[in-house]
Every structure is written in C-alpha cells, then in structure tokens.
Amino acid sequence: MITSKQNAAGQANSIRRRSFLVGAGAAAIGLTWWFIQKREPLHAEAAAAGLPKMVTIVEFTDDGKRKDKISVARITKTEDEWRKQLSTASFEITRRAGTERAYTNENPNAHAKGIFRCICCDTALFDSSTKFESGTGWPSFYEPIAKENVLETTDGSLGMTRTAVSCRLCDAHLGHVFDDGPRPTGLRYCMNAVAMRFAKAS
C-alpha cells in the first residue's frame, strides 16, 4: 500500500527526472548549435566587414618558378556554387573551416617535386621542397611559397587562440600555423590535404 508520503516522494522524483531530461535536451541543442556555429568560416567576421575586392598574389609554375606578381579581383561565390565545385570534404574544410582527421592523407605528393595549389582557385600555396614530416598526421610546411598568397587571421575557437591560414585569393580555409617548426623559419604550417591539390613538376 502506497502512503501519501510515498506518493508525494514519487511525484517529486518524477518532476526531478523530467527537469533533468528537459535540461539535458536543452544542453544538447545548445551544443549542437555551438558546433554548427563554429563550422562557419573562421574569418567570417572579416568577410562580413568587407575584405578588399582586389588582391595581390604571386604566380608560380608547377616547377615552383616565380612568375609575375598580379593584382586580381578576389574570388567570391555563393555557398551553392562552392558545393557544386568541391567534394563534400573539401567544402567542409575550405568553406566551413573544418579539420580533416589526422593521418588520412599526410603525404599527398608522395615525395614528388611540385607545388600545392588551392583546391578552390588554384593559387600556388606551398612548394614541396618546404614540406617536412611533422609527426602530426597533416601535411606540414615551414613556409608558404609566397607570403602574398596566404592570409593569416586570429582564430579564437575551441577555447584557444591560434593563427588560421587561408587563401588570399578566394578566402578558403587551409589550416593553422604554429611556431614549433624546423629551421629556417621555425614555423609549422599545418594544412588540410583536401584544401589543396598537388601539381607535379614537369
């Protein structure tokens, strides 16, 4: 036989369980929204503020030979246009500032000579001669092929401050740069393989 005290206690427990479940549901929704928000480009605020319409980049042959420095219109496309052009993985990395899993494609050039170009606009980014084994699981370089071709911005996501690296011409997110690299620069440009394509030297 259930007493009035037992009945009251049961009702209180039921209310606490409902409150917990509602709270947990709200937390899950909040975390999901936070994750979606963080998947926006890390430099979205800069884009909204108005990046320059014209940019200056340096052109290179696939052999890594420097050509001309040119001033061209910055490439802008709609999200749908980028989706049609890119693979799902490349879109998530370059247009949503995602990160590929480590050790999925650490050595995309298989030690061949050439240069790495932006998967979105083909801008020259890194020479294979500056690539090194970092032990991180991502393609790593100690310097870009030309400072003019990349843009570095502050990334405050994930509760830390890092320096994000993107393509100067099309604003594609490439990865991050750290100060634990080898000589001569002491830098480690930690890039996502699917944000680039390798152009083999002829």
Side-chain angles (χ1 to χ4, degrees):
M1 181 175 180
I2 299 175
T3 67
S4 58
K5 285 185 178 181
Q6 289 173 324
N7 188 46
Q11 288 178 346
N13 286 334
S14 178
I15 291 171
R16 280 195 293 271
R17 281 195 299 272
R18 282 198 298 270
S19 297
F20 172 78
L21 291 174
V22 169
I29 291 170
L31 284 172
T32 301
W33 176 247
W34 178 87
F35 179 76
I36 292 171
Q37 290 297 94
K38 292 301 177 185
R39 296 285 291 196
E40 291 181 0
L42 299 177
H43 35 274
E45 291 182 8
L51 289 171
K53 292 183 179 180
M54 301 295 292
V55 297
T56 298
I57 61 170
V58 182
E59 293 185 304
F60 288 84
T61 67
D62 290 345
D63 294 324
K65 293 179 181 177
R66 188 183 180 104
K67 295 171 66 178
D68 298 325
K69 184 182 287 190
I70 60 172
S71 182
V72 292
R74 188 169 67 88
I75 295 175
T76 57
K77 295 183 180 182
T78 65
E79 190 170 274
D80 285 341
E81 288 173 327
W82 285 124
R83 283 185 186 278
K84 289 176 183 177
Q85 175 184 330
L86 304 168
S87 68
T88 299
S90 292
F91 175 83
E92 287 299 321
I93 300 299
T94 62
R95 311 323 306 183
R96 290 289 182 183
T99 301
E100 66 190 357
R101 286 188 301 117
Y103 299 103
T104 55
N105 196 12
E106 186 180 12
N107 193 22
N109 65 318
H111 303 290
K113 293 182 179 180
I115 66 172
F116 290 83
R117 296 182 177 276
C118 177
I119 195 69
C120 295
C121 68
D122 228 31
T123 295
L125 301 172
F126 299 94
D127 192 300
S128 64
S129 64
T130 66
K131 187 174 180 291
F132 66 96
E133 299 298 329
S134 64
T136 62
W138 289 281
S140 300
F141 307 82
Y142 61 74
E143 67 181 356
I145 197 166
K147 274 288 187 181
E148 295 92 336
N149 292 8
V150 297
L151 178 67
E152 297 181 11
T153 55
T154 300
D155 169 15
S157 66
L158 304 180
M160 63 184 84
T161 300
R162 297 175 294 171
T163 300
V165 181
S166 58
C167 173
R168 177 84 62 177
L169 181 56
C170 72
D171 208 33
H173 174 70
L174 305 171
H176 293 84
V177 59
F178 303 93
D179 60 1
D180 58 1
R183 293 180 179 180
T185 65
L187 299 174
R188 172 171 60 91
Y189 284 81
C190 189
M191 301 291 101
N192 290 284
V194 297
M196 306 177 294
R197 76 167 184 87
F198 178 67
K200 190 174 181 179
S202 57

